[in-house]
Amino acid sequence: TRWRLLQAATEVFAEVGYHAATTREICRRAEVNLASIHYYYGDKAELYREVFRLPFLSECNAFATLDITQVSLQEALYSFYSWFFPATDEEDPMRQLFMRLHAREEAEPSGVLGDAMVQAFRPNHEKLQALLCREFHLKKPDVEVDRLTFGVLGLAIVYFHNRTAIDNFAPHLIGGQKARESMAERLVGYAVALVESERKRRGTVRSKK
């Protein structure tokens, strides 16, 4: 029932937006009792927030559960960027709906998300910081690691937030499995260059991994 509600809610929210979506229509598509949303999620706002948390769950987010002590910098970064550009994107209607919903939320903010997205992304952010700390032999992030973390993240986030612009200006960049794999590979190269630049500035030696 939970999964049917999430699927139906994602469809409806993506089609008409948060404010125009009705719990009646969501329950109709999910083929569940109208009281189901209240029982499982409390209200429409919490259901909306839960839809936005979906792509960040562990089963969808290999990077957040990655053991960074066992992989190279390139392997870890590829796992990180592959989350943004999954090879199965075209075969995953839920992800397509989420991208559409995300674009709608950017254009027409619902005002109900609060820090839900920030908290959902936190495991990725902290894992990326830990990876960079490993590379510079640090026990905890300093201001330059904070700066670099957002630099490495920013290489991909523009594609995530501006999907409409990419589709209009350069759809070939992420159109198809090979294009998405190439995008992830290129971003790894760019990110490694940023890390190496910071390594040179610090005068630290390369991590064994």
Side-chain angles (χ1 to χ4, degrees):
T1 300
R2 281 178 176 272
W3 179 240
R4 290 204 304 273
L5 279 171
L6 287 171
Q7 285 182 305
T10 304
E11 291 177 3
V12 176
F13 288 139
E15 288 175 10
V16 302
Y18 172 77
H19 294 293
T22 65
T23 54
R24 183 176 298 278
E25 176 59 16
I26 292 171
C27 289
R28 186 190 69 78
R29 294 197 192 189
E31 298 180 344
V32 299
N33 187 283
L34 188 59
S36 297
I37 289 178
H38 176 72
Y39 179 79
Y40 288 106
Y41 298 104
D43 56 19
K44 186 175 77 167
E46 184 55 32
L47 176 59
Y48 190 68
R49 287 188 283 267
E50 191 64 23
V51 166
F52 271 83
R53 294 186 188 108
L54 268 178
F56 300 95
L57 300 178
S58 295
E59 54 266 34
C60 308
N61 187 1
F63 178 73
T65 57
L66 187 70
D67 183 356
I68 60 172
T69 67
Q70 301 299 316
V71 296
S72 68
L73 173 64
Q74 287 84 350
E75 289 171 327
L77 287 171
Y78 187 78
S79 175
F80 177 68
Y81 289 128
S82 292
W83 180 81
F84 289 94
F85 307 103
T88 58
D89 194 16
E90 291 175 344
E91 301 169 4
D92 186 351
M94 281 294 286
R95 188 171 183 87
Q96 292 286 351
L97 283 170
F98 178 78
M99 297 302 294
R100 182 178 171 187
L101 178 58
H102 197 278
R104 180 181 285 277
E105 176 66 24
E106 287 290 312
E108 306 169 10
S110 64
V112 302
L113 281 183
D115 64 352
M117 288 285 287
V118 173
Q119 293 305 318
F121 191 76
R122 184 177 295 279
N124 286 55
H125 186 86
E126 292 179 345
K127 182 60 67 70
L128 184 56
Q129 282 189 316
L131 176 66
L132 295 175
C133 283
R134 184 197 79 178
E135 290 299 305
F136 305 130
H137 311 297
L138 299 174
K139 292 184 178 180
K140 61 180 181 179
D142 59 18
V143 65
E144 295 301 334
V145 167
D146 285 335
R147 197 192 315 275
L148 183 58
T149 299
F150 282 104
V152 171
L153 171 61
L155 292 172
I157 205 71
V158 64
Y159 298 96
F160 196 74
H161 282 290
N162 296 307
R163 188 63 175 265
T164 301
I166 300 300
D167 289 342
N168 279 278
F169 300 150
H172 55 279
L173 289 179
I174 51 178
Q177 178 178 339
K178 289 185 177 180
R180 286 190 294 275
E181 289 176 349
S182 293
M183 176 61 74
E185 290 170 359
R186 296 297 183 277
L187 292 183
V188 168
Y190 303 154
V192 168
L194 289 177
V195 173
E196 292 304 324
S197 176
E198 176 61 15
R199 196 193 312 280
K200 181 178 179 180
R201 191 192 69 80
R202 288 175 181 262
T204 55
V205 297
R206 186 190 300 273
S207 169
K208 291 182 179 181
K209 281 293 180 185

